[in-house]
Amino acid sequence: SPLGRAVTSAGIYTAGTGLQLHIRDALAELACGTWENRERNEVTRGPGAIRYSWFDKPPGGESYGDAEDRVASFIRELHSDSVPDRVLVVGHAGINRVLLRLLLDLAPESAQLISCPHNVIYVVHGAEVTARSTTGVDQTGFYFEE
């Protein structure tokens, strides 16, 4: 993602490895429209997600579904011959849900419930997913929001 937190995190991973950092606008977080830079409790109908369905969106913002085309273009790039077999994608919770949905052909209702904690990396190998946590606990599959 071109956004600051993701670029900083990706830089930590690439520092000292000799690997090149590639920034892709397609991985910017979902736009929140008129809700940008406002507290969650000011704009939501309660605790939890600000998008209540795959196609729900804040005024002037994006839904998960709106982001599918730009993420699909990134996935096509990943499948090109010029991309190595292993890629670390550093993004944001919303756009990561879109990426995982498209990569794994998940139902929108399932993808929307995937939790993307800051201390977890999802390793995708074909159709298999492993959640690796900085706590040292690995689990098969995703963490889900309740």
Side-chain angles (χ1 to χ4, degrees), residues 51-56 63-66 68 94 97-98 100-102 104-114 144:
R51 291 166 183 85
Y52 294 94
S53 75
W54 198 254
F55 295 99
D56 185 31
S63 69
Y64 294 108
D66 290 335
E68 287 185 1
R97 290 181 185 105
V98 176
L100 292 167
R101 171 180 145 52
L102 296 176
L104 300 169
D105 196 28
L106 301 173
E109 302 79 28
S110 297
Q112 186 175 344
L113 296 176
I114 296 171
F144 288 99

Side-chain angles (χ1 to χ4, degrees), residues 3-146:
L3 303 180
R5 289 175 296 146
V7 172
T8 299
S9 296
I12 291 168
Y13 285 107
T14 59
T17 65
L19 298 174
Q20 188 176 0
L21 180 63
H22 299 274
I23 297 172
R24 296 294 182 266
D25 290 341
L27 297 177
E29 182 58 299
L30 301 174
C32 287
T34 61
W35 292 358
E36 293 285 347
N37 300 315
R38 294 181 62 197
E39 296 290 327
R40 181 180 298 265
N41 63 358
E42 292 179 62
V43 297
T44 61
R45 297 172 270 199
I50 64 172
R51 291 166 183 85
Y52 294 94
S53 75
W54 198 254
F55 295 99
D56 185 31
K57 59 182 159 186
E62 284 182 291
S63 69
Y64 294 108
D66 290 335
E68 287 185 1
D69 285 343
R70 64 181 163 104
V71 174
S73 70
F74 172 72
I75 291 172
R76 285 189 297 276
E77 180 184 351
L78 283 180
H79 290 131
S80 73
D81 292 336
S82 63
V83 175
D85 290 338
R86 289 183 164 189
V87 175
L88 174 67
V89 176
V90 180
H92 310 276
I95 208 69
N96 288 346
R97 290 181 185 105
V98 176
L99 178 65
L100 292 167
R101 171 180 145 52
L102 296 176
L103 279 174
L104 300 169
D105 196 28
L106 301 173
E109 302 79 28
S110 297
Q112 186 175 344
L113 296 176
I114 296 171
S115 179
C116 298
H118 293 164
N119 68 333
V120 171
I121 294 174
Y122 288 117
V123 179
V124 178
H125 189 270
E128 294 181 23
V129 177
T130 303
R132 293 201 171 149
S133 171
T134 58
T135 62
V137 177
D138 288 0
Q139 77 173 36
T140 300
F142 298 108
Y143 290 100
F144 288 99
E145 295 182 358
E146 299 180 15

